[in-house]
């Protein structure tokens, strides 16, 4: 999560220093698979098979497509390779513990999503509701709980930002 925090801070800093505006929450999104069920235990049991399919099969890319030349700086690529994380498969619990995915009951999901909204000040959630061969009834249950139990918690904090024009210098 520290890496995400640094990335959001860098975005805000560059917006202010280079482009002269303050980045608003609605300009910052986070893409995190989320599965919510009645309890943490039920969510873990229902989601594991489908989430693991996503990470072990659905998101498999050849390296030249995942990290094409020029996509990362030499420094970033070196750090990624030295970390040992590239190409390593994580367990379901590791994906949860590192914040790559959010799985749990309503209260757990609200708590974990709150990190993005309250600490990182990100205002848009991008999440997949359907993964692999997850049954329709689980997709509908997940989406219904998200809509009726989780999202109202975040709607209580309306964003008051007004769009502002930005001037961009074309001189180098």
């Amino acid at each position: 999560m520290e890496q995400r925090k640094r990335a959001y801070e860098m975005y805000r800093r560059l917006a202010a220093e280079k482009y002269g505006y303050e980045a608003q929450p609605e300009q910052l999104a986070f893409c995190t698979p989320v599965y919510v069920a009645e309890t943490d235990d039920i969510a873990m049991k229902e989601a594991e098979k489908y989430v693991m399919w996503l990470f072990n099969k659905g998101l498999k890319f050849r390296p030249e497509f995942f990290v094409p030349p020029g996509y990362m700086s030499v420094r970033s690529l070196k750090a990624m390779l030295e970390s040992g994380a590239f190409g390593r498969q994580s367990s379901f619990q590791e994906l949860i513990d590192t914040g790559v995915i959010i799985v749990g009951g309503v209260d757990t999901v609200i708590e974990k999503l709150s990190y993005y909204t309250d600490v990182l000040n990100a205002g848009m959630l991008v999440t997949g509701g359907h993964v692999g061969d997850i049954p329709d009834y689980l997709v509908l249950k997940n989406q219904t709980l998200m809509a009726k139990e989780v999202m109202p918690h975040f709607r209580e904090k309306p964003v008051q930002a007004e769009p502002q024009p930005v001037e961009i210098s074309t001189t180098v």
Side-chain angles (χ1 to χ4, degrees):
M1 297 300 270
E2 277 303 309
Q3 179 185 9
R4 288 187 187 131
K5 188 174 182 180
R6 286 192 309 271
Y8 283 84
E9 287 169 355
M10 182 175 70
Y11 180 89
R12 284 189 182 88
R13 189 183 77 248
L14 287 173
E17 292 173 3
K18 192 170 182 178
Y19 300 105
Y21 75 96
E22 182 179 334
Q24 298 299 309
E26 63 273 12
Q27 294 173 298
L28 295 164
F30 53 102
C31 184
T32 305
V34 176
Y35 188 84
V36 62
E38 298 83 355
T39 67
D40 289 351
D41 287 340
I42 292 171
M44 299 284 274
K45 288 176 185 145
E46 289 177 351
E48 183 172 11
K49 173 183 173 183
Y50 308 109
V51 168
M52 294 312 292
W53 177 90
L54 174 66
F55 284 91
N56 293 333
K57 292 195 171 50
L59 294 176
K60 278 221 169 184
F61 294 97
R62 293 177 60 172
E64 59 267 28
F65 297 116
F66 184 68
V67 186
Y71 181 73
M72 297 177 124
S73 69
V74 172
R75 184 175 144 215
S76 294
L77 181 61
K78 183 178 179 197
M80 181 186 69
L81 293 172
E82 288 174 351
S83 75
F86 184 71
R88 185 178 79 77
Q89 288 188 349
S90 297
S91 71
F92 183 63
Q93 192 60 52
E94 287 172 324
L95 293 170
I96 292 169
D97 292 344
T98 56
V100 173
I101 61 172
I102 297 174
V103 176
V106 171
D107 291 338
T108 298
V109 170
I110 288 170
E111 177 187 328
K112 294 192 181 246
L113 288 175
S114 293
Y115 175 81
Y116 289 94
T117 60
D118 299 348
V119 176
L120 300 181
N121 294 310
M124 288 189 291
L125 167 64
V126 179
T127 184
H130 191 280
V131 176
D133 63 350
I134 187 172
D136 289 345
Y137 77 92
L138 289 179
V139 174
L140 292 173
K141 181 175 86 162
N142 178 44
Q143 291 177 341
T144 300
L145 286 169
M146 280 292 289
K148 292 184 177 181
E149 303 292 331
V150 175
M151 296 316 291
H153 172 80
F154 299 97
R155 288 188 191 111
E156 295 171 5
K157 304 173 191 174
V159 176
Q160 299 293 331
E162 290 292 322
Q164 300 294 320
V166 176
E167 289 185 34
I168 298 175
S169 173
T170 57
T171 59
V172 180

